[in-house]
Amino acid sequence: MAEKKREQAPQQTVQMRPGGRGPGGPGRGPAMREKPKDGKKTLKRLLSYIGSSKYLLIGLLAVMLVTTVLTLAAPALQATAIDAITILPEDWSNLAVHINKSLLVKTLIAIAAVYLLSSLSMLLQGILAAKLTKSTVMKLRGDLFARIEHLPLRYIDTHKHGDIMSRMTNDVENISNTVSSSIASLFSGALTLIGTISIMLWYSPIMTLVAMVTVPFTLLFGTKVGGKMRKLFSKQQAILGRLNGHVEEMVTGHKTVTAYGRDKRAIEEFTELSEEMKKTSIRAQVFGGTMGPVMNFLGNTGFLLIAAVGGYLALEGSISVGVIQAFLIYARQFTRPINELANQYAQIQTAMAGAERVFAIMDEPSEPNFGKLYPESIRGEIELKDVVFSYVPGKQVLKGLDLSVSPGQKIAIVGATGAGKTTIVNLLTRFYDIDSGEILLDGMELRDIERDTLRKNIAIVLQDTVLFSDTIAYNIRYGRLDATDEEVRAAAKMANADSFISRLPNGYDTELSESGSNLSGGQRQLISIARAVLADPKILILDEATSSVDTRTEMHIQNAMVALMKNRTSLIIAHRLSTIRDADKIVVIEDGVVAEAGSHDELLAKEGAYYRLYQKQYAGIAT
């Protein structure tokens, strides 16, 4: 509702979004702030989503267990094969090779079988991991979208739309990529660590101790660098949200930006954000990039120690050559999960930061709905008693407003910019709740009426029409989804829209582009009116419904609105006073209260607030 921008601009310290219903908006909402992060809580919640597909998870764990067992069996079989053909001689001048052919053949067959089964199990593991990932992300994205749909309008009005969209797209996609690439690595890594260290201890406790030398250094480095990386990746995701919000605002307001010659300024702002994003991303990636090389260095150091100590023990006759070879492989298997985690740490941190941002929206409270009354019918009697309301605490927009509307009455609400006209609409539809006072509908407290029941009895026609990228028929049927084609056409005829719709190549099946941009402003408004006709509301609200069209189109819309308002309680908010002369009562709002009320002629005769507004429009008095 465009009026909100005008009402709040003098009072709010937060900038308004064009066409918004409150402070903030896609381009100028409160900036993202760094908040204390709870990694354990975030991980626990993310794991709960993964665990929601329990059969896929159980199947994946079972396959990974088989894969791990096969992976652990291969080095032991290789050691047996080597020992079947290798003997450490006492006299190096007389080297002899002894082969246990029977054992060697059996072992080679077993190794081939293990490799074949391991390949098949890894293929199945990849399929199950992909299904689990997509199932998890679909549920996460579905819950996030459902939460966004149930957020209070105050939240939507005070947060950048681009940032909200970034959480739905970029952040969820980062989670998807991480779950897809890391879930198998993490689970199989844990199983591999347990199995490997068990076999290593069984082979040689001394060699196992040698293999563990580098582990403390690995953990210490990961802990120190990890904390820094987490902050950087959280900041990176927040800046990305701001960047998306800026782009979304510039694309939406492209005409305004171009018309006022603010192209360079828009580019400068984008460049500033991009530069901040680049610096933060470089720092994050540098820290993330150090993990892999350092972990590889520590792993290679451990490999060297194992080879040296193992060689010495072999010369002493404590272990065989085959065991040394197996131990080198097991040592690699032991460090591999740690190294993989290190290499994926940057991506995991990005996903965790994204998950925190996603869960932050999910933790927002839903729009309150305490109403327990489900009236079967609404007559349309409205009464506001001493209503006080403020968008920002301490800055009242309505200051004890009183207003009575009889059933079927046509009321026009006028007033200067910022007087509080559209705020009344926001309160009647319960987009916002009052601070104090009472709003009664047919004698019932508005907050006692179940929210959806209330809104089904109210239809709004806005200055800025909202149409969806679908057919014209669908956009009209949006007022009542179970309406038949005949009812849709009848509503269009009543709204004076049938004539131009019928002339379109595909008629009611014409596909609309985004926001209905392939139609004129007047045509979009007529479709919006047809939607309201189909909804058949008891209360009709027209908020500047004709202020953005030419006079000729306004006449067509006015005729459509006359038919629409018949036998309905109607509230008309208008700046063009010519459109409200035949209203049953005109209410003038000044400084958050009703200054005066009456018919057009009565108010002109008083020469009060309405008279002054009228003179400013038509008598040429300077404003």
Side-chain angles (χ1 to χ4, degrees), residues 5-50:
K5 178 180 69 176
R6 296 188 291 271
E7 290 175 8
Q8 290 301 104
Q11 299 178 344
Q12 304 245 93
T13 57
V14 180
Q15 289 180 292
M16 309 301 298
R17 69 177 176 88
R21 287 185 286 257
R28 291 291 185 267
M32 291 292 297
R33 295 184 176 91
E34 190 83 18
K35 295 182 179 180
K37 306 298 183 181
D38 190 341
K40 292 182 179 179
K41 181 180 178 182
T42 301
L43 180 59
K44 184 178 179 180
R45 291 182 68 173
L46 195 55
L47 289 176
S48 70
Y49 274 91
I50 296 173

Side-chain angles (χ1 to χ4, degrees), residues 235-252:
K235 184 178 180 181
Q236 175 183 301
Q237 291 305 106
I239 296 173
L240 180 60
R242 289 165 53 197
L243 189 64
N244 286 336
H246 178 74
V247 172
E248 193 264 351
E249 183 183 46
M250 292 301 102
V251 171
T252 303

Side-chain angles (χ1 to χ4, degrees), residues 347-609:
Q347 185 177 349
I348 292 173
Q349 289 300 309
T350 301
M352 289 292 288
E356 286 172 338
R357 284 162 46 79
V358 168
F359 292 140
I361 289 186
M362 289 188 181
D363 290 338
E364 287 292 329
S366 299
E367 183 181 11
N369 186 18
F370 305 117
K372 302 297 182 183
L373 300 179
Y374 296 83
E376 294 183 1
S377 61
I378 295 291
R379 294 183 296 111
E381 180 183 1
I382 301 170
E383 189 170 4
L384 285 77
K385 296 182 178 180
D386 195 25
V387 171
V388 176
F389 174 76
S390 55
Y391 291 101
V392 177
K395 297 182 179 181
Q396 295 179 350
V397 178
L398 301 183
K399 307 172 182 179
L401 183 139
D402 296 297
L403 177 64
S404 296
V405 183
S406 301
Q409 196 173 25
K410 182 164 64 173
I411 301 294
I413 302 176
V414 300
T417 297
K421 302 183 296 297
T422 299
T423 296
I424 295 174
V425 175
N426 286 339
L427 297 179
L428 287 176
T429 52
R430 284 204 60 202
F431 291 151
Y432 292 84
D433 283 326
I434 60 176
D435 298 337
S436 63
E438 276 188 314
I439 300 181
L440 304 177
L441 178 59
D442 291 352
M444 297 174 286
E445 168 62 45
L446 203 67
R447 285 175 289 193
D448 292 337
I449 302 175
E450 196 274 331
R451 186 186 60 221
D452 293 337
T453 302
L454 169 69
R455 291 175 181 170
K456 284 179 182 177
N457 286 279
I458 300 177
I460 305 177
V461 179
L462 302 172
Q463 173 186 354
D464 299 319
T465 57
V466 177
L467 299 179
F468 303 99
S469 300
D470 209 302
T471 64
I472 290 178
Y474 172 82
N475 277 276
I476 297 176
R477 189 176 278 112
Y478 204 79
R480 182 159 56 86
L481 295 178
D482 60 351
T484 63
D485 291 342
E486 291 75 16
E487 290 173 323
V488 168
R489 183 177 291 273
K493 288 180 178 178
M494 188 173 178
N496 290 337
D498 179 68
S499 57
F500 88 81
I501 295 174
S502 299
R503 290 195 299 270
L504 296 174
N506 296 319
Y508 286 83
D509 293 326
T510 299
E511 291 280 343
L512 299 184
S513 56
E514 185 177 359
S515 300
S517 57
N518 52 337
L519 298 179
S520 70
Q523 290 172 334
R524 292 196 296 270
Q525 195 66 280
L526 290 176
I527 290 177
S528 180
I529 293 173
R531 178 194 297 165
V533 170
L534 192 63
D536 192 21
K538 298 299 181 183
I539 300 172
L540 176 65
I541 298 173
L542 304 172
D543 190 355
E544 302 284 3
T546 62
S547 62
S548 60
V549 297
D550 59 83
T551 305
R552 184 171 179 273
T553 304
E554 181 183 11
M555 292 179 58
H556 289 288
I557 295 176
Q558 284 286 356
N559 293 333
M561 290 194 302
V562 168
L564 178 59
M565 289 186 289
K566 190 175 182 180
N567 299 323
R568 291 184 174 90
T569 300
S570 303
L571 301 180
I572 308 166
I573 296 175
H575 274 290
R576 291 184 185 177
L577 302 186
S578 60
T579 64
I580 59 170
R581 298 183 63 160
D582 61 341
D584 297 326
K585 183 167 66 174
I586 299 173
V587 177
V588 183
I589 306 294
E590 272 193 351
D591 195 26
V593 297
V594 174
E596 58 184 8
S599 67
H600 173 75
D601 293 333
E602 291 171 348
L603 294 179
L604 285 181
K606 287 183 179 181
E607 296 190 1

Side-chain angles (χ1 to χ4, degrees), residues 166-176 237 354-355 357-358:
S166 180
R167 301 185 194 214
M168 173 65 75
T169 53
N170 294 329
D171 291 329
V172 173
E173 190 62 28
N174 283 332
I175 295 171
S176 174
Q237 291 305 106
R357 284 162 46 79
V358 168

Side-chain angles (χ1 to χ4, degrees), residues 155-361:
Y155 182 92
I156 302 297
D157 281 345
T158 54
H159 288 75
K160 294 182 180 180
H161 294 182
D163 182 62
I164 295 175
M165 293 168 62
S166 180
R167 301 185 194 214
M168 173 65 75
T169 53
N170 294 329
D171 291 329
V172 173
E173 190 62 28
N174 283 332
I175 295 171
S176 174
N177 293 335
T178 301
V179 172
S180 176
S181 62
S182 302
I183 186 171
S185 299
L186 293 174
F187 286 152
S188 64
L191 294 174
T192 300
L193 284 174
I194 295 172
T196 300
I197 197 170
S198 299
I199 295 176
M200 289 169 69
L201 286 170
W202 180 76
Y203 269 128
S204 173
I206 295 176
M207 293 284 287
T208 303
L209 184 62
V210 172
M212 296 294 161
V213 169
T214 59
V215 172
F217 298 99
T218 300
L219 295 177
L220 180 63
F221 180 80
T223 302
K224 292 294 183 182
V225 177
K228 182 66 175 177
M229 286 176 59
R230 184 174 186 81
K231 293 181 180 179
L232 287 172
F233 280 105
S234 295
K235 184 178 180 181
Q236 175 183 301
Q237 291 305 106
I239 296 173
L240 180 60
R242 289 165 53 197
L243 189 64
N244 286 336
H246 178 74
V247 172
E248 193 264 351
E249 183 183 46
M250 292 301 102
V251 171
T252 303
H254 181 69
K255 288 183 179 179
T256 303
V257 173
T258 303
Y260 282 89
R262 296 293 184 264
D263 312 66
K264 291 183 179 179
R265 180 55 188 161
I267 295 172
E268 288 172 0
E269 291 176 351
F270 178 83
T271 303
E272 290 172 4
L273 285 171
S274 295
E275 185 67 23
E276 187 179 1
M277 178 73 177
K278 183 189 75 173
K279 291 179 180 179
T280 304
S281 297
I282 289 174
R283 292 185 65 196
Q285 293 299 330
V286 166
F287 272 93
T290 61
M291 293 291 285
V294 172
M295 292 301 182
N296 287 332
F297 171 77
L298 292 173
N300 290 331
T301 301
F303 185 86
L304 180 62
L305 290 173
I306 291 170
V309 175
Y312 173 79
L313 293 176
L315 289 173
E316 291 292 320
S318 300
I319 58 176
S320 67
V321 175
V323 170
I324 296 175
Q325 186 271 345
F327 222 97
L328 289 172
I329 296 177
Y330 282 128
R332 284 291 192 189
Q333 287 185 350
F334 179 77
T335 57
R336 179 179 56 81
I338 300 176
N339 289 338
E340 284 184 353
L341 179 61
N343 290 326
Q344 294 175 358
Y345 197 76
Q347 185 177 349
I348 292 173
Q349 289 300 309
T350 301
M352 289 292 288
E356 286 172 338
R357 284 162 46 79
V358 168
F359 292 140
I361 289 186

